[in-house]
Amino acid sequence: MHATLPLLRITDFPPLRRRRVETLQVNLGYTCNQTCTHCHVNAGPSRTEQMSRETIDTVLDVLVAKDIRTLDLTGGAPELNPHFRSLVREARQRGVRVMDRCNLTILFEPGQENLATFLADHEVEIVASLPCYLEDNVDKQRGKGVFDKSVRALQALNALGYGGDPRLPLSLVYNPQGPSLPPSQAALEADYRKFLGERFGIRFTRLYALANMPISRFGSTLISKGQFRDYMATLRAAHRPENTQDVMCRTMVSVDWQGYLYDCDFNQMLNLPLREDGRGHGRLRLTDWLELDLADNPILVADHCYGCTAGQGSSCGGALG
């Protein structure tokens, strides 16, 4: 796989500083039942990295100590971590909102037969990957048969109240097929609602349109096809300075499976760790954060940050403007 960091380090992206942390995004491990072409985590069935119970206990300690109200669980497939359900239970007992970034097909994996019911019982918000509403496009990006399984998973979630009951939000996530910016999120959401509703009776709460980041598996593919520089030129040309006010790194901290801290999960994949003053050589861990205040900490930026500010903007919560 081609390394993209050497092509991203030199940047003129504007400096950023973080605000109060509102969301703790936790990568529970890189194991996944799928291998998607756009995956910036390079996750898959052969990956074995998983967060330990000890580190998960520290996650819970940080949520309380820092009064963080949202826990955003990601992977890989976060549900494949053996401690996923106990983490969800304990976070919800503490009154924390929990989001599960779910690939939908995980609901049909052995041992996950009651996963959907578990998520509904604990009122876990689901953010579900569905990079298109057309079968051919989804299967091309995510593997043969994924679209059919995703539709069946969404129908099962709807039957439990997801996408209708306000206590059970169900968001879908769109990614472009290649090196282009997402179309208008509002217009695309209308298309998703029309097609999925009329064809399959599926309802959902909202759609997030996310740009593909020029890192990991997708970045390597761009390099292989000779498209990396053109894609970066597209992102830079579409930069909107106003989007820097609402990028996710200002109010979120990302944690890897070992407990190291990052400004965002893209920096995590590039091994650009969060540091106490934005400089120095020490890498901060969850345990260090218990003794620190990260407010106003400088954010480590590189050229991939243009992926979050191009056009309508892109973050873990979809378009910015």
Side-chain angles (χ1 to χ4, degrees), residues 11 123 163-164 178 254:
T11 187
E123 297 183 359
S254 172

Side-chain angles (χ1 to χ4, degrees), residues 1-15:
M1 179 175 292
H2 300 285
T4 57
L5 182 56
L7 302 175
L8 298 169
R9 278 191 180 278
I10 299 175
T11 187
D12 58 356
F13 193 85

Side-chain angles (χ1 to χ4, degrees), residues 33-88:
N33 61 313
Q34 295 182 179
T35 307
C36 302
T37 58
H38 64 278
C39 180
H40 68 273
V41 181
N42 194 28
S46 64
R47 300 297 296 268
T48 59
E49 300 93 330
Q50 293 284 357
M51 182 174 283
S52 69
R53 179 70 236 193
E54 180 182 9
T55 303
I56 283 174
D57 287 340
T58 308
V59 166
L60 292 165
D61 290 342
V62 167
L63 289 172
V64 173
K66 300 300 178 180
D67 191 28
I68 297 172
R69 307 315 303 162
T70 298
L71 175 63
D72 184 349
L73 300 177
T74 184
E79 305 90 350
L80 291 178
N81 184 291
H83 311 294
F84 171 82
R85 298 194 189 200
S86 61
L87 172 58
V88 169

Side-chain angles (χ1 to χ4, degrees), residues 186-204:
L188 190 61
E189 181 176 309
D191 290 342
Y192 265 70
R193 288 192 189 282
K194 186 176 191 312
F195 186 89
L196 294 177
E198 292 179 356
R199 184 69 61 89
F200 304 108
I202 290 171
R203 64 184 184 275
F204 61 94

Side-chain angles (χ1 to χ4, degrees), residues 107 115-121 154-162 165 168 203:
L107 270 62
L115 174 61
T117 301
F118 170 84
L119 296 172
D121 287 346
L154 289 170
Q155 291 171 332
L157 291 170
N158 282 170
L160 291 169
Y162 273 102
D165 188 330
L168 299 174
R203 64 184 184 275

Side-chain angles (χ1 to χ4, degrees), residues 19 34 74 78 81 91 106 136 183 191 204 217 222 232 234 244 254 256 273-275 280 286-287 298 311-313:
R19 305 185 185 116
Q34 295 182 179
T74 184
N81 184 291
I106 193 68
D136 288 348
D191 290 342
F204 61 94
R217 191 176 292 151
L222 291 176
M232 285 306 308
T234 297
T244 63
S254 172
D256 74 7
L274 191 155
R275 307 182 192 279
L286 280 165
T287 48
Q312 63 186 342

